[in-house]
PDB file of all heavy atoms in Angstrom:
ATOM      1  N   ASN A  43    -169.749 -66.826 -23.595  1.00 52.00           N
ATOM      2  CA  ASN A  43    -171.194 -67.026 -23.624  1.00 52.00           C
ATOM      3  C   ASN A  43    -171.625 -68.350 -24.238  1.00 52.00           C
ATOM      4  O   ASN A  43    -172.794 -68.567 -24.479  1.00 52.00           O
ATOM      5  CB  ASN A  43    -171.885 -65.865 -24.348  1.00 52.00           C
ATOM      6  CG  ASN A  43    -172.065 -64.676 -23.438  1.00 52.00           C
ATOM      7  OD1 ASN A  43    -171.893 -64.758 -22.233  1.00 52.00           O
ATOM      8  ND2 ASN A  43    -172.400 -63.546 -24.016  1.00 52.00           N
ATOM      9  N   SER A  44    -170.680 -69.254 -24.480  1.00 50.00           N
ATOM     10  CA  SER A  44    -171.048 -70.567 -25.006  1.00 50.00           C
ATOM     11  C   SER A  44    -171.763 -71.374 -23.925  1.00 50.00           C
ATOM     12  O   SER A  44    -171.643 -71.104 -22.746  1.00 50.00           O
ATOM     13  CB  SER A  44    -169.803 -71.315 -25.488  1.00 50.00           C
ATOM     14  OG  SER A  44    -169.032 -71.729 -24.393  1.00 50.00           O
ATOM     15  N   LYS A  45    -172.498 -72.379 -24.353  1.00 53.00           N
ATOM     16  CA  LYS A  45    -173.267 -73.213 -23.418  1.00 53.00           C
ATOM     17  C   LYS A  45    -172.371 -73.920 -22.398  1.00 53.00           C
ATOM     18  O   LYS A  45    -172.772 -74.157 -21.278  1.00 53.00           O
ATOM     19  CB  LYS A  45    -174.070 -74.253 -24.193  1.00 53.00           C
ATOM     20  CG  LYS A  45    -175.106 -73.666 -25.104  1.00 53.00           C
ATOM     21  CD  LYS A  45    -176.440 -73.738 -24.488  1.00 53.00           C
ATOM     22  CE  LYS A  45    -177.481 -73.295 -25.503  1.00 53.00           C
ATOM     23  NZ  LYS A  45    -178.594 -72.668 -24.914  1.00 53.00           N
ATOM     24  N   ALA A  46    -171.159 -74.265 -22.788  1.00 51.00           N
ATOM     25  CA  ALA A  46    -170.266 -75.026 -21.918  1.00 51.00           C
ATOM     26  C   ALA A  46    -169.672 -74.177 -20.797  1.00 51.00           C
ATOM     27  O   ALA A  46    -169.239 -74.700 -19.786  1.00 51.00           O
ATOM     28  CB  ALA A  46    -169.137 -75.637 -22.739  1.00 51.00           C
ATOM     29  N   SER A  47    -169.664 -72.886 -20.950  1.00 58.00           N
ATOM     30  CA  SER A  47    -169.021 -72.010 -19.982  1.00 58.00           C
ATOM     31  C   SER A  47    -169.996 -71.589 -18.893  1.00 58.00           C
ATOM     32  O   SER A  47    -171.160 -71.301 -19.162  1.00 58.00           O
ATOM     33  CB  SER A  47    -168.480 -70.765 -20.696  1.00 58.00           C
ATOM     34  OG  SER A  47    -167.944 -69.873 -19.757  1.00 58.00           O
ATOM     35  N   SER A  48    -169.515 -71.543 -17.634  1.00 75.00           N
ATOM     36  CA  SER A  48    -170.350 -71.021 -16.552  1.00 75.00           C
ATOM     37  C   SER A  48    -170.238 -69.505 -16.489  1.00 75.00           C
ATOM     38  O   SER A  48    -171.002 -68.861 -15.795  1.00 75.00           O
ATOM     39  CB  SER A  48    -169.940 -71.639 -15.216  1.00 75.00           C
ATOM     40  OG  SER A  48    -168.667 -71.172 -14.832  1.00 75.00           O
ATOM     41  N   LEU A  49    -169.293 -68.947 -17.231  1.00 80.00           N
ATOM     42  CA  LEU A  49    -169.155 -67.494 -17.307  1.00 80.00           C
ATOM     43  C   LEU A  49    -170.093 -66.953 -18.380  1.00 80.00           C
ATOM     44  O   LEU A  49    -170.209 -67.520 -19.453  1.00 80.00           O
ATOM     45  CB  LEU A  49    -167.719 -67.103 -17.670  1.00 80.00           C
ATOM     46  CG  LEU A  49    -166.646 -67.408 -16.630  1.00 80.00           C
ATOM     47  CD1 LEU A  49    -165.270 -67.131 -17.214  1.00 80.00           C
ATOM     48  CD2 LEU A  49    -166.861 -66.584 -15.380  1.00 80.00           C
ATOM     49  N   LYS A  50    -170.755 -65.858 -18.074  1.00 85.00           N
ATOM     50  CA  LYS A  50    -171.647 -65.198 -19.027  1.00 85.00           C
ATOM     51  C   LYS A  50    -171.375 -63.704 -18.995  1.00 85.00           C
ATOM     52  O   LYS A  50    -171.008 -63.151 -17.963  1.00 85.00           O
ATOM     53  CB  LYS A  50    -173.117 -65.445 -18.685  1.00 85.00           C
ATOM     54  CG  LYS A  50    -173.527 -66.899 -18.650  1.00 85.00           C
ATOM     55  CD  LYS A  50    -173.539 -67.516 -20.016  1.00 85.00           C
ATOM     56  CE  LYS A  50    -173.950 -68.972 -19.935  1.00 85.00           C
ATOM     57  NZ  LYS A  50    -173.535 -69.737 -21.051  1.00 85.00           N
ATOM     58  N   ILE A  51    -171.583 -63.060 -20.138  1.00 84.00           N
ATOM     59  CA  ILE A  51    -171.382 -61.619 -20.251  1.00 84.00           C
ATOM     60  C   ILE A  51    -172.703 -60.975 -20.647  1.00 84.00           C
ATOM     61  O   ILE A  51    -173.393 -61.466 -21.541  1.00 84.00           O
ATOM     62  CB  ILE A  51    -170.301 -61.294 -21.303  1.00 84.00           C
ATOM     63  CG1 ILE A  51    -168.947 -61.818 -20.830  1.00 84.00           C
ATOM     64  CG2 ILE A  51    -170.236 -59.794 -21.566  1.00 84.00           C
ATOM     65  CD1 ILE A  51    -167.834 -61.632 -21.823  1.00 84.00           C
ATOM     66  N   PHE A  52    -173.030 -59.862 -19.973  1.00 86.00           N
ATOM     67  CA  PHE A  52    -174.256 -59.133 -20.262  1.00 86.00           C
ATOM     68  C   PHE A  52    -173.953 -57.641 -20.324  1.00 86.00           C
ATOM     69  O   PHE A  52    -173.077 -57.151 -19.627  1.00 86.00           O
ATOM     70  CB  PHE A  52    -175.309 -59.384 -19.174  1.00 86.00           C
ATOM     71  CG  PHE A  52    -175.735 -60.819 -19.087  1.00 86.00           C
ATOM     72  CD1 PHE A  52    -175.127 -61.669 -18.187  1.00 86.00           C
ATOM     73  CD2 PHE A  52    -176.717 -61.304 -19.926  1.00 86.00           C
ATOM     74  CE1 PHE A  52    -175.500 -63.000 -18.122  1.00 86.00           C
ATOM     75  CE2 PHE A  52    -177.093 -62.637 -19.859  1.00 86.00           C
ATOM     76  CZ  PHE A  52    -176.483 -63.483 -18.954  1.00 86.00           C
ATOM     77  N   GLU A  53    -174.733 -56.947 -21.141  1.00 84.00           N
ATOM     78  CA  GLU A  53    -174.630 -55.498 -21.212  1.00 84.00           C
ATOM     79  C   GLU A  53    -175.662 -54.891 -20.273  1.00 84.00           C
ATOM     80  O   GLU A  53    -176.805 -55.340 -20.212  1.00 84.00           O
ATOM     81  CB  GLU A  53    -174.890 -55.004 -22.636  1.00 84.00           C
ATOM     82  CG  GLU A  53    -174.807 -53.500 -22.754  1.00 84.00           C
ATOM     83  CD  GLU A  53    -175.151 -52.977 -24.137  1.00 84.00           C
ATOM     84  OE1 GLU A  53    -175.486 -53.796 -25.013  1.00 84.00           O
ATOM     85  OE2 GLU A  53    -175.089 -51.761 -24.326  1.00 84.00           O
TER      86      GLU A  53
END
Side-chain angles (χ1 to χ4, degrees):
N43 279 348
S44 72
K45 297 260 187 211
S47 176
S48 69
L49 293 173
K50 301 290 180 201
I51 294 176
F52 297 95
E53 179 184 1

